[in-house]
Amino acid sequence: MNGNVTDKNSRRSKKVADWILTGVLLIGSLVMIIPFIWMVLTSFDWAARLKIPFPPRFWPEEFSFKTYQMAFTNIPMLKYMINSIIVSVGVIVVSLLSAVFSGYAISKLKFKGANIVLLLALSTMMIPFEMTMIPQYLMFAKIKLLDTYWSFFLPALNYAFGTFLAKSFIDQLPGSLREAAIIDGANEFTVFVKVYLPLCIPILATMIILQFLAVWNDLLWPLLALKTPDKYTIQLGLAMFSYNKDLPLPSVIMAATTVSLTPVIVLYLFLQRYIVESIALSGVKQ
């Protein structure tokens, strides 16, 4: 009898805890998504102003698609987005190759000093970019690579967080796969490319999204490195446009910003299942 009462109280407490957790998560989600919804709705409001009216309103006062038309006619959106895609793809390719090669070497080759190499790589993450950007700027100015996309690609060789992610993921993959392939006559490069690399797709997808978000939304380094307007990335181009005193309407900025987020949303929707899979596989033991 007492046992049934205890179980019933336990289930009731668990249900209350679940409801509280669900409520907290819903509130947190709303807090994060409301600015995005406000931005999208404002992009359709021809009468929108940067000053928030009182009482606040979400629905556009003067609904119009003309703001998007003005965004594309007043701002070289396509040019900026193509530039951002070039920079993002280049950085992703370089950083992923660097991360997965080094992660595999540290995880499976077990060479002397591997842990020290990983520790040194991770220690670079402790230094904020604001402390290294001036030396980095001077170095690229010295070798005359400023105002080129190489100033984005070369720093991507040091993707310490990616190395850590790749190493942790490859640690979970069986070492017996490597031993069997070597017995069959495969060399180390073949083992990596044909055996382990296809198994690393989930963690590669995770790194692609993380790097794409970081590069696509970056403003500080493009502001320092790029001087030619034709080479501006989307965030730098929009920032420069927002300082234009002949700016037509704030809603045009919101329309341009909404368009600039489209590739990020599409990429996330396309790769999100791989992220879930990488998290699930991280618990698999050899």
Side-chain angles (χ1 to χ4, degrees):
M1 182 71 178
N2 289 335
N4 292 335
V5 173
T6 303
D7 291 343
K8 193 173 180 180
N9 289 335
S10 176
R11 286 196 296 271
R12 186 178 298 168
S13 300
K14 186 176 182 302
K15 189 177 291 185
V16 170
D18 289 343
W19 277 106
I20 293 174
L21 179 62
T22 304
V24 170
L25 291 176
L26 279 175
I27 293 171
S29 302
L30 285 174
V31 168
M32 287 187 283
I33 204 171
I34 280 178
F36 178 77
I37 295 174
W38 179 80
M39 179 191 71
V40 174
L41 292 176
T42 303
S43 69
F44 291 104
D45 191 354
W46 183 254
R49 298 293 180 268
L50 288 180
K51 185 179 178 182
I52 298 177
F54 185 83
R57 58 180 170 77
F58 270 86
W59 193 252
E61 182 181 356
E62 189 177 340
F63 192 90
S64 174
F65 289 102
K66 197 176 177 182
T67 51
Y68 283 84
Q69 180 187 350
M70 290 193 68
F72 278 95
T73 53
N74 288 272
I75 309 172
M77 291 287 296
L78 291 178
K79 180 68 178 173
Y80 292 157
M81 292 183 77
I82 290 173
N83 293 340
S84 282
I85 289 173
I86 293 172
V87 172
S88 300
V89 171
V91 169
I92 287 171
V93 170
V94 173
S95 59
L96 260 62
L97 285 176
S98 168
V100 78
F101 270 108
S102 54
Y104 173 78
I106 294 172
S107 175
K108 296 300 180 194
L109 300 189
K110 306 292 183 186
F111 60 90
K112 191 174 182 180
N115 290 332
I116 296 176
V117 171
L118 179 63
L119 186 63
L120 288 174
L122 292 178
S123 65
T124 61
M125 296 170 54
M126 310 299 172
I127 305 172
F129 174 70
E130 287 76 9
M131 292 183 65
T132 61
M133 65 180 182
I134 299 302
Q136 185 170 302
Y137 175 85
L138 295 175
M139 183 183 71
F140 280 105
K142 188 76 173 176
I143 57 179
K144 301 186 185 306
L145 286 181
L146 282 180
D147 206 24
T148 72
Y149 293 145
W150 286 105
S151 59
F152 294 86
F153 301 155
L154 293 180
L157 286 169
N158 177 30
Y159 184 29
F161 184 61
T163 301
F164 172 73
L165 286 179
K167 189 259 181 192
S168 301
F169 187 85
I170 295 173
D171 279 345
Q172 311 303 322
L173 302 177
S176 55
L177 294 176
R178 175 175 174 267
E179 295 167 4
I182 289 177
I183 291 173
D184 289 340
N187 58 34
E188 203 65 59
F189 183 77
T190 305
V191 172
F192 170 71
V193 172
K194 293 190 175 180
V195 178
Y196 284 95
L197 194 57
L199 298 175
C200 291
I201 288 177
I203 198 65
L204 290 175
T206 303
M207 287 193 282
I208 286 174
I209 288 184
L210 293 177
Q211 281 292 75
F212 186 78
L213 287 174
V215 178
W216 190 270
N217 294 325
D218 188 21
L219 174 63
L220 186 54
W221 181 241
L223 185 62
L224 289 173
L226 298 177
K227 306 297 178 190
T228 307
D230 281 347
K231 296 178 181 175
Y232 283 175
T233 58
I234 183 69
Q235 301 302 340
L236 180 59
L238 293 181
M240 292 300 177
F241 182 78
S242 66
Y243 284 111
N244 187 353
K245 292 183 179 178
D246 299 326
L247 186 67
L249 285 172
S251 55
V252 176
I253 297 179
M254 295 301 176
T257 306
T258 303
V259 172
S260 74
L261 292 177
T262 306
V264 179
I265 297 172
V266 171
L267 184 70
Y268 176 77
L269 293 177
F270 181 70
L271 295 178
Q272 62 172 336
R273 69 187 180 94
Y274 291 108
I275 297 178
V276 175
E277 189 177 344
S278 70
I279 294 171
L281 284 178
S282 64
V284 176
K285 301 296 183 185
Q286 181 178 351

